Amino acid sequence: MGSFVAVPPVRHRIDDGEASLSESMARRGITVRHRVLAITRVEPDRSARFPDCDGGAVEFRFIRYLEDEPWSVGTVALPASLAPLDWDGSTSVFAAMSARHELSIRRSERAFRAGPATPDDAAWLGIAVGSALLELELRGHNADQHGRVIATVAHRIRGDRAEYVVGLPQ
């Protein structure tokens, strides 16, 4: 019983030409920051997802905040040769990598599904265990201007705070 006021979801265009949601939101004037949780080298067998790059891979795990509200738990894997190991979260990991290596990075595939918040997700995002999250699966990846896959992404996004939009061809 009673009335409840919910924060409206942030609408995000997945086809806006940016490499990262962080750049998309910042361009719209939304304050974005990242809390870096871990930067980890990945076992050699898992780095095979970057066949055009040598030297293994590095995973970046972080919490993304929009307007100081926890919005998602993210993991981005990059080829070790391109990974900005000193990333501090002040920009997206893609902005740091792009600036350092003069790359033009674009989203090349995304897949979403619904899933329940784990105890870790709930603690980081300030929600109940089992709350609905949008999961951006590991199939999501970014490519550079030469078409090389240079990143895989996985995000667990608060379902009550996100709305994704994609333009369809005419």
Side-chain angles (χ1 to χ4, degrees):
M1 293 186 62
S3 298
F4 299 92
V5 177
V7 176
V10 175
R11 183 171 245 207
H12 173 56
R13 291 203 60 93
I14 198 81
D15 59 352
D16 67 358
E18 297 291 346
S20 170
L21 176 131
S22 298
E23 279 85 27
S24 296
M25 295 296 144
R27 186 168 38 104
R28 292 175 44 199
I30 296 171
T31 303
V32 180
R33 69 180 174 88
H34 307 87
R35 177 178 174 194
V36 180
L37 301 176
I39 300 174
T40 311
R41 278 222 175 252
V42 178
E43 304 86 40
D45 61 321
R46 288 185 58 204
S47 66
R49 63 186 116 174
F50 306 116
D52 297 322
C53 300
D54 296 327
V58 174
E59 280 187 352
F60 296 81
R61 186 160 164 77
F62 55 91
I63 306 297
R64 178 183 288 127
Y65 295 83
L66 299 185
E67 301 293 352
D68 290 324
E69 290 290 323
W71 205 74
S72 65
V73 178
T75 303
V76 172
L78 305 172
S81 61
L82 299 175
L85 298 176
D86 59 348
W87 181 58
D88 64 3
S90 60
T91 63
S92 77
V93 71
F94 297 116
M97 182 174 70
S98 183
R100 183 165 298 156
H101 297 285
E102 297 181 11
L103 293 171
S104 175
I105 303 170
R106 61 177 173 76
R107 294 180 183 113
S108 55
E109 181 178 304
R110 294 293 186 268
F112 292 91
R113 67 179 179 189
T118 67
D120 282 344
D121 295 330
W124 287 118
L125 299 176
I127 57 177
V129 172
S131 294
L133 295 179
L134 291 175
E135 295 182 63
L136 173 55
E137 300 179 41
L138 280 172
R139 289 191 306 128
H141 55 265
N142 287 4
D144 68 8
Q145 66 267 30
H146 308 293
R148 297 180 305 168
V149 173
I150 57 169
T152 61
V153 295
H155 298 292
R156 295 179 54 78
I157 304 160
R158 288 184 61 154
D160 63 335
R161 298 282 169 87
E163 179 178 278
Y164 281 84
V165 179
V166 65
L168 300 174
Q170 298 294 321

